[in-house]
């Protein structure tokens, strides 16, 4: 019976983390803690500013609120456990590992499709400015925000269920700092070809559909901007989507580099650096990207602070 149990499951996993050196672990702990605090402050602050300022109650900032929520959740799924592992035990239960992977895939997929929704919003604003409020109705905005969450949950559920059926009998050591698909697949002592193909199809479909939507939106946007006669008009139109374009480039660049490749090309060091970037760093960068170059957000922050001072 014991042999059969070991062939079908393990009680827990061990995450090797990013380094065996105590000095490096402490340095990483301080760095990741600082990044996480900035992530919390930036994303919560973005949500509060948008909620408190009526002038930001538009579709663009409605989507940005959900992007901040996803980034905050995304970072919280990974960073606290990583911080704990840097100081204490690297153990994570089988259930906890797959729960982490479920939420990680769910939020990552949801962000892909949310960025597509934001691209369509920018397309409607620049290409059809006179009909923007009609096109981006409340009903459509709710559909564009509900869709990413629904698709994200479905994708993550299928992903985790297929991987939970694998047998882990040789080792329970995950050579990573969180429960990601590639290092967990590497632990299986059974054939993973079908599972790998399913995950590749799901991840590939998510990236392709969202990228095609974003690319088509920006081709139309670029075409419209080029038709504007005045230089100031072109700059104003382009400035409304530069932050989103930068965020998309960073997010998709790291995701494609990490996931759209066979497991055999998995490289521990290289992939861990990429994973740190998109799980810990990008959630911190997004509120900075969307606020530092955005006069509306800066002005909204000033108005909110002035109202608080006046109320005193």
């Amino acid at each position: 019976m014991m042999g059969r149990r070991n062939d079908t499951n393990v009680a827990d996993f061990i995450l090797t983390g990013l380094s065996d050196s105590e000095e490096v672990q402490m340095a990483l702990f301080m760095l990741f803690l600082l990044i996480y605090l900035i992530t919390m402050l930036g994303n919560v602050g973005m949500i509060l500013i948008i909620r408190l300022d009526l002038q930001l109650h538009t579709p663009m900032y409605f989507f940005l609120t959900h992007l901040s929520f996803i980034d905050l959740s995304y970072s919280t799924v990974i960073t606290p456990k990583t911080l704990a592992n840097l100081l204490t035990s690297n153990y994570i239960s089988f259930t906890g590992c797959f729960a982490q992977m479920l939420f990680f895939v769910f939020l990552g997929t949801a962000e892909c499709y949310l960025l597509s929704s934001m691209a369509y919003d920018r397309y409607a604003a620049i290409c059809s400015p006179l009909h923007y409020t009609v096109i981006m109705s409340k009903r459509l905005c709710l559909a564009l925000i509900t869709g990413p969450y629904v698709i994200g949950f479905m994708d993550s559920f299928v992903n985790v269920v297929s991987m939970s059926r694998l047998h882990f009998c040789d080792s329970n050591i995950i050579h990573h700092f969180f429960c990601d698909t590639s290092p967990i697949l590497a632990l299986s002592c059974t054939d993973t070809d079908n599972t790998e193909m399913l995950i590749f199809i799901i991840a590939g479909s998510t990236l392709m559909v969202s990228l095609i939507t974003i690319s088509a939106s920006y081709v139309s946007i670029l075409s419209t901007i080029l038709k504007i006669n005045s230089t100031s008009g072109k700059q104003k139109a382009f400035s409304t989507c530069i932050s989103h374009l930068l965020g998309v480039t960073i997010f998709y660049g790291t995701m494609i580099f990490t996931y759209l490749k066979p497991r055999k090309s998995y490289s521990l060091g290289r992939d861990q650096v990429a994973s740190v970037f998109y799980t810990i760093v990008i959630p911190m960068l997004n509120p900075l990207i969307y606020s530092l170059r955005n006069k509306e957000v800066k002005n909204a922050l000033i108005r909110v602070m002035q109202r608080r001072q006046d109320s005193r």
Side-chain angles (χ1 to χ4, degrees), residues 11 15 48 84 105 110 116 162-163 170 186 206 224 230 250 304:
L15 296 165
L48 290 176
V105 176
S116 300
S162 65
M163 291 192 63
D170 294 332
T206 296
T224 300
S230 66
I250 295 173
V304 170

Side-chain angles (χ1 to χ4, degrees), residues 137-199:
S137 63
K138 186 175 181 179
R139 184 175 180 178
L140 179 59
C141 287
L142 288 175
L144 290 174
I145 205 63
T146 302
Y149 288 112
V150 173
I151 297 172
F153 177 77
M154 291 173 60
D155 283 2
S156 64
F157 183 78
V158 172
N159 186 306
V160 170
V161 168
S162 65
M163 291 192 63
S164 65
R165 293 177 177 176
L166 298 175
H167 294 179
F168 304 96
C169 51
D170 294 332
S171 173
N172 67 337
I173 300 175
I174 299 175
H175 295 284
H176 214 338
F177 65 94
F178 73 101
C179 293
D180 200 2
T181 53
S182 295
I184 293 179
L185 282 170
L187 293 183
S188 178
C189 55
T190 53
D191 181 56
T192 61
D193 287 345
N194 291 336
T195 303
E196 283 190 65
M197 182 57 65
L198 177 62
I199 293 172

Side-chain angles (χ1 to χ4, degrees), residues 12-15 77-78 81-82 85 90-105 159-160 163 172 174-185 187 259 278-279:
D12 51 35
F13 293 105
I14 299 174
L15 296 165
V77 167
I78 304 296
K81 180 59 180 174
T82 302
N85 289 344
N90 288 351
Y91 284 92
I92 184 170
S93 67
F94 182 90
T95 303
C97 184
F98 277 80
Q100 185 185 59
M101 186 165 56
L102 175 73
F103 283 106
F104 166 69
V105 176
N159 186 306
V160 170
M163 291 192 63
N172 67 337
I174 299 175
H175 295 284
H176 214 338
F177 65 94
F178 73 101
C179 293
D180 200 2
T181 53
S182 295
I184 293 179
L185 282 170
L187 293 183
Y259 291 107
Y278 70 77
T279 59

Side-chain angles (χ1 to χ4, degrees), residues 57-69:
H57 289 189
T58 62
M60 174 181 171
Y61 293 103
F62 173 68
F63 294 129
L64 190 53
T65 298
H66 283 271
L67 179 64
S68 292
F69 170 74

Side-chain angles (χ1 to χ4, degrees), residues 293-307:
R293 296 183 59 86
N294 192 318
K295 292 182 179 180
E296 290 181 341
V297 173
K298 292 178 182 178
N299 293 335
L301 177 60
I302 294 173
R303 288 193 296 270
V304 170
M305 294 178 66
Q306 286 178 342
R307 285 202 299 269

